[in-house]
Amino acid sequence: MTSTAPEARQGQDAGEQHGPEPTSWQQRLRRFGHFPRPGIGLRERLIPPYTRPGGQLWAVLAVPPPVADRLVRWSAWGGPLLVAAVAGVLRFWNLGSPHAVIFDETYYAKDSWALIQQGYEGSWPKDVDKLILNDPSQVPVPTDPGYVVHPPVGKWIIGIGEQLFGFTPFGWRFMVAVLGTLSVLMLCRIGRRLFRSTFLGCLAGALLAVDGLHFVMSRTALLDLVLMFFVLASFGCLLIDRDWARRRLAAALPVDEDGVLRPDAGVAEGLRLGWRPWRIAAGISLGLAFATKWNGLYIMVAFGLMTVLWDVGARRTAGAVQPYKAVLKRDLVPAFVSTVPVAVFTYLVSWTGWIIHDDPDRHGYYRDWAATDGKGGNWTWLPDWLRSLWHYENQVYEFHVNLTSGHTYQSNPWSWIVLGRPVSYFYEEQNGCAQSSTGKCAREVLALGTPLLWWAACFALLYVLWRWFFRRDWRAGAIACGVAAGWVPWFLYQERTIFLFYAVVFVPFLCLAVAMMIGAMLGPAAGTGEKHELGLAKGDPSGERRRTVGAVAAGVLVLLIVWNFIYFWPLYTGTSIPEDSWRDRMWLDTWI
């Protein structure tokens, strides 16, 4: 069997050592969550190995060792690709339905089409949606500038699908579905690298594939799924950079006469890690994130702090006596330069279409502000386009912070994690439905996370926080950081009109949290020679029983989540069902 518990293999960042048997006071601390760290070599602590299925599994399946090795190598990419393929089939199935402009597609689909056609957003007439659905070729793109309140990257991406497949529901949803599918693939690979387990990585991706909120957002032309994609991509780049930096440290550390890697304070504190391309890639991804929606800025700050702490942990593990000082001298400036300026430059480049269209008769909103209303002042030495853009950004910021008009589906961020108030994107009542006692059928697209997955994630987050605080597990801290970066900033704007679907940004991290919890439920494989955190050693019958019970519980939980997704499928896809069946799915009054 595979050793799937995330804590079974990987040590912590700070100070693990081979030590004596726990003393009596250490034994007493077990009741508060403390357990002695396993004796793991320095190389394994810097670069933890990936778990591999044990020989017992292949013996049961009658698979020869050479074939088993090939299957293990294939599964590293084959497993994630298979999960992503399933997610893609689900997301692209009948993507053009409903044939309607649903919820905020009325803004982004049209703005994206204008961007692709003329480089800036236009001011569309009211009630033009029906004309677009009937015959988009008869609807001209308005040349008058339109006032938009989000940066352009997400709309450029939506516009690519429109350019490929036309100004239709399928066209404006196509690229969002592509990014939704690719995000499942990314999460599989990210989870594999994070947990050092192909199984847990694919499990995290599979959970994302069957999350209702991610699914609905992958089939709707809104910006939040695009933002989520770039946030997840930046997290993955930083994770690769973390392994890359640790390999550099391990390669520089001395090896004793027995071939054992030894810590060295001089190397750990003095080594310059040099060119870090994956950190630059993370900077580009973060720039694209906040060039889609501004809340990407909060995520950039959170991820920046996280990766600096990762560097501290790496240098401490390698033997640094003053790891914070070493990071301050060797890593902090390069980390800043390779992310923040890169992200800002990426953001500015995203406005190219708005910048270059400076014709007096055809230009974007506020593009001529510096040459008209903004003449004079102390900043005239700056280019007109930059001063106009800065003014535009100030106006947009004022709009966002003062957006307090009520909405039927607005919700407080406190209620998001329990799915207190989902958003109905589309609803249609149909009369003459023979299957319903009321004689009516209902079609709805409801932006609702898979309830059992989200409610399980509530417990998973508590487990993750416990792992972080009491076990100093960096993986738990990384997951908590991803959730907090996407969720906590909204608590600063509780008077603002905000919605549950903003939470799609941190859904991948909820799936990682649930996968980590399931890994703990499974425990380590028998015969690996590893001790589980509960003290169950190799060959212990109680350990076998515990693993069996854990496997059954984990399997039941995953199957229930999948069943829950299937049960709510009609509400995610706008499938017509009897009104009685629709009401059966309204588990909470606030979902109506």
Side-chain angles (χ1 to χ4, degrees), residues 170-209:
F170 181 87
W172 61 63
R173 295 169 191 162
F174 175 80
M175 283 303 298
V176 184
V178 169
L179 297 190
T181 302
L182 290 178
S183 65
V184 172
L185 175 63
M186 280 199 304
L187 190 64
C188 289
R189 293 288 297 178
I190 286 170
R192 180 179 183 271
R193 184 176 291 271
L194 188 69
F195 300 128
R196 290 310 200 250
S197 166
T198 300
F199 170 76
L200 287 182
C202 290
L203 175 62
L207 292 174
L208 187 63

Side-chain angles (χ1 to χ4, degrees), residues 103 405-411 421-424 497-499 590 592:
F103 202 63
S405 56
H407 193 284
T408 304
Y409 292 107
Q410 71 181 64
S411 59
R421 183 58 171 163
V423 180
S424 180
T497 306
I498 53 180
F499 302 93
T590 54
I592 300 176

Side-chain angles (χ1 to χ4, degrees), residues 105-117 120-124 146-149 155-156 162 167:
E105 284 186 341
T106 187
Y107 305 115
Y108 305 126
K110 292 180 290 192
D111 287 342
S112 301
W113 182 247
L115 272 177
I116 287 292
Q117 298 300 313
Y120 63 92
E121 296 93 336
S123 179
W124 293 85
Y147 179 63
V148 295
V149 294
K155 289 167 282 187
W156 279 112
E162 293 175 327
F167 195 21

Side-chain angles (χ1 to χ4, degrees), residues 307-321:
T307 190
V308 168
L309 292 176
W310 284 354
D311 284 343
V312 170
R315 291 189 181 272
R316 178 190 288 124
T317 302
V321 178

Side-chain angles (χ1 to χ4, degrees), residues 222-441:
L222 271 64
L223 301 181
D224 299 86
L225 193 284
V226 181
L227 171 64
M228 180 279 304
F229 176 84
F230 289 123
V231 168
L232 187 61
S234 65
F235 182 81
C237 290
L238 292 175
L239 202 58
I240 297 173
D241 173 75
R242 182 183 186 276
D243 283 352
W244 182 91
R246 286 173 162 250
R247 281 195 296 269
R248 287 288 304 275
L249 275 172
L253 290 174
V255 179
D256 65 15
E257 60 274 9
D258 296 322
V260 177
L261 196 69
R262 294 299 181 187
D264 185 280
V267 172
E269 295 182 359
L271 180 67
R272 294 185 181 274
L273 295 174
W275 174 257
R276 297 174 70 165
W278 285 105
R279 194 169 260 175
I280 295 175
I284 295 172
S285 296
L286 288 167
L288 292 171
F290 78 82
T292 300
K293 291 189 78 172
W294 276 3
N295 48 315
L297 283 168
Y298 292 103
I299 294 164
M300 182 174 69
V301 172
F303 282 7
L305 293 174
M306 177 183 69
T307 190
V308 168
L309 292 176
W310 284 354
D311 284 343
V312 170
R315 291 189 181 272
R316 178 190 288 124
T317 302
V321 178
Q322 295 179 304
Y324 286 95
K325 184 178 179 181
V327 168
L328 182 64
K329 291 174 61 177
R330 307 296 183 195
D331 299 324
L332 193 60
V333 172
F336 177 85
V337 171
S338 59
T339 51
V340 177
V342 170
V344 172
F345 177 76
T346 302
Y347 180 84
L348 290 177
V349 169
S350 73
W351 284 89
T352 299
W354 182 89
I355 292 170
I356 64 176
H357 287 85
D358 57 353
D359 187 281
D361 298 321
R362 295 175 65 90
H363 58 76
Y365 207 84
Y366 279 135
R367 177 60 183 86
D368 62 346
W369 177 85
T372 54
D373 297 339
K375 283 184 176 181
N378 298 324
W379 300 95
T380 54
W381 55 274
L382 291 173
D384 281 357
W385 67 265
L386 185 57
R387 292 198 298 127
S388 295
L389 181 60
W390 181 259
H391 176 73
Y392 194 176
E393 305 284 62
N394 271 286
Q395 296 300 306
V396 169
Y397 176 77
E398 292 295 326
F399 168 84
H400 281 303
V401 298
N402 294 309
L403 182 61
T404 57
S405 56
H407 193 284
T408 304
Y409 292 107
Q410 71 181 64
S411 59
N412 191 286
W414 285 108
S415 68
W416 290 356
I417 195 67
V418 293
L419 302 174
R421 183 58 171 163
V423 180
S424 180
Y425 286 171
F426 171 84
Y427 183 84
E428 182 179 78
E429 190 176 90
Q430 299 169 325
N431 295 316
C433 183
Q435 298 93 342
S436 174
S437 62
T438 63
K440 296 179 181 179
C441 280

